[in-house]
Amino acid sequence: MRRRNESVTVEHERAAAAPAPRDKGCSLRHSLRLPTAAAPADTGMKRPLGRRHGLWFRLRKLIIWLLGVYIAIPFLVKLCPAIQAKLVFLNFVRVPYFIDLKRPQDQGLNHTCNYYLQPEEDVTIGVWHTVPAALWKNARGKDQLWFEDALGSSHPVILYLHGNAGTRGGDHRVELYKVLSSLGYHVVTFDYRGWGDSVGSPSERGMTYDALHVFDWIKARSGDNPVYIWGHSLGTGVATNLVRRLCERETPPDALILESPFTNIREEARSHPFSIYRYFPGFDWFFLDPITTSGIKFANDENVKYISCSLLILHAEDDPVVPFHLGKKLYNIAAASRSFRDYKVQFVPFHTDLGYRHKYIYRSPELPRILR
């Protein structure tokens, strides 16, 4: 009896110690439910906070990086004046791309010949010569010698000096050649050394010498035909440099035309609407002095005091690149100069409503009358 009671007692204790099957299933289900119910709630709280923190960190990092670049650029320009010279010339910007400058006919200039001249050793410049519309039919299929001889015909010649960036094949420049050709002018234009397919390193002295070489080349072939010089934007600086030298050697052109001119390169850089550093402390020291250090002045305001030929200034009031007031200021300086006392000085503004801006004055229906 004692053994039986002991065995019963042991079995009873084992049964009590072991959990019942129903309790095991309930506790298992309970243990499975709790984590699955809690996990989504915790993850949902962490993800937005993590994303916001990551975005803010990246944004702050970007702002700090941009601010560092903004502050570093002035010092970089000051230490390397050649950078500022590149920004003035923009000769590395070739627009439009993928055109063959040897084939002006691809730009609709079927009456144009491409030349190459050599102003100096190791310098070669590409030149386009567009004949007057009256000679278009005769110009078809002709070689360079025919075009050179055509300069001696009874038509005036315009030497066109383009601005910075692009090439002699720029869209607005090509349209101007067509307009001037239709008005009966020979148009001779070229890319300065370092522009387009011209060989050499750009500089103000080099650009002026290239223009002088082309002018002398024209005069040697044009005889007594009038020769006018037309400069646009940065080309106005080259034009006044050239005409001042021509007047000093007593071989002035018949007239000088300045489209969208400025007074000097320092004032133009200070007034340029795209200059984000105009209000930066030490702007002159950081940005303008390196331009002068690079030998770049383009002092139109000084040059006009030594020019003795007729002067025509064209400027659009809505010009976003060279502010209108600089062209007006240059006119006032020229009109008061003694060198122009025997010559006509004229300023022609174009109203904002016309929308000619910096490079579309060629669209003016008044241009033929103005030039006459």
Side-chain angles (χ1 to χ4, degrees), residues 347-367:
F347 181 83
V348 179
F350 295 87
H351 196 271
T352 301
D353 294 343
L354 297 172
Y356 294 155
R357 298 171 67 79
H358 184 60
K359 54 187 181 183
Y360 301 114
I361 288 177
Y362 71 84
R363 295 177 178 174
S364 173
E366 296 296 318
L367 194 57

Side-chain angles (χ1 to χ4, degrees), residues 21-332:
R22 187 179 60 179
D23 293 340
K24 181 178 181 181
C26 291
S27 62
L28 180 61
R29 286 196 298 269
H30 182 70
S31 63
L32 289 174
R33 284 175 187 168
L34 286 178
T36 55
D42 294 342
T43 305
M45 292 295 293
K46 291 179 180 178
R47 282 182 181 175
L49 290 176
R51 288 178 180 175
R52 292 175 187 173
H53 179 75
L55 289 174
W56 168 244
F57 177 77
R58 293 176 183 176
L59 181 61
R60 185 175 60 179
K61 187 176 180 181
L62 178 63
I63 293 173
I64 293 174
W65 184 82
L66 292 175
L67 183 61
V69 171
Y70 178 80
I71 296 174
I73 286 177
F75 292 94
L76 186 62
V77 170
K78 185 65 179 180
L79 293 173
C80 303
I83 296 177
Q84 188 71 323
K86 286 285 187 182
L87 295 177
V88 171
F89 297 137
L90 290 178
N91 60 300
F92 57 89
V93 178
R94 180 169 175 168
V95 180
Y97 295 96
F98 310 119
I99 69 169
D100 186 355
L101 293 172
K102 296 181 178 67
R103 293 178 53 82
Q105 60 268 28
D106 291 348
Q107 309 307 309
L109 297 172
N110 296 322
H111 51 301
T112 300
C113 186
N114 181 67
Y115 308 146
Y116 288 98
L117 303 179
Q118 191 170 12
E120 295 179 315
E121 188 177 357
D122 300 328
V123 174
T124 303
I125 57 176
V127 182
W128 280 0
H129 172 200
T130 302
V131 297
L135 302 178
W136 283 14
K137 292 182 179 179
N138 296 332
R140 291 179 181 176
K142 298 300 192 298
D143 58 9
Q144 179 175 337
L145 290 177
W146 183 91
F147 275 83
E148 290 187 27
D149 292 339
L151 285 170
S153 63
S154 58
H155 295 275
V157 183
I158 290 181
L159 171 58
Y160 180 76
L161 306 173
H162 68 68
N164 66 355
T167 67
R168 60 190 184 276
D171 293 340
H172 66 282
R173 294 162 186 165
V174 168
E175 293 304 316
L176 178 62
Y177 310 154
K178 293 177 181 178
V179 170
L180 296 177
S181 174
S182 68
L183 296 177
Y185 296 98
H186 288 275
V187 182
V188 178
T189 186
F190 66 96
D191 281 320
Y192 316 104
R193 60 187 71 186
W195 271 261
D197 58 353
S198 297
V199 178
S201 299
S203 66
E204 181 176 353
R205 185 206 68 83
M207 295 164 71
T208 303
Y209 191 83
D210 293 344
L212 179 62
H213 181 82
V214 177
F215 177 85
D216 289 340
W217 180 85
I218 292 171
K219 289 296 291 183
R221 292 158 177 79
S222 62
D224 295 331
N225 294 331
V227 178
Y228 308 118
I229 294 174
W230 184 313
H232 173 244
S233 192
L234 188 68
T236 64
V238 181
T240 61
N241 282 347
L242 169 62
V243 176
R244 177 176 176 175
R245 291 187 62 172
L246 294 176
C247 291
E248 288 174 347
R249 75 178 194 184
E250 299 182 352
T251 57
D254 292 274
L256 170 62
I257 303 166
L258 301 179
E259 178 188 359
S260 304
F262 49 86
T263 48
N264 58 70
I265 198 64
R266 288 180 70 99
E267 285 197 0
E268 159 58 9
R270 188 181 293 113
S271 304
H272 201 291
F274 299 151
S275 176
I276 61 175
Y277 288 96
R278 278 183 291 174
Y279 307 106
F280 192 89
F283 174 77
D284 285 16
W285 187 78
F286 278 112
F287 291 96
L288 302 186
D289 290 349
I291 296 178
T292 305
T293 302
S294 299
I296 304 173
K297 297 180 180 179
F298 292 115
N300 290 336
D301 49 355
E302 286 298 317
N303 289 336
V304 295
K305 298 176 183 178
Y306 300 91
I307 290 175
S308 52
C309 68
S310 296
L311 173 64
L312 171 64
I313 296 178
L314 311 172
H315 213 135
E317 293 179 354
D318 59 338
D319 191 329
V321 178
V322 180
F324 177 79
H325 70 86
L326 291 184
K328 186 66 174 179
K329 182 178 180 180
L330 181 64
Y331 165 74
N332 292 333

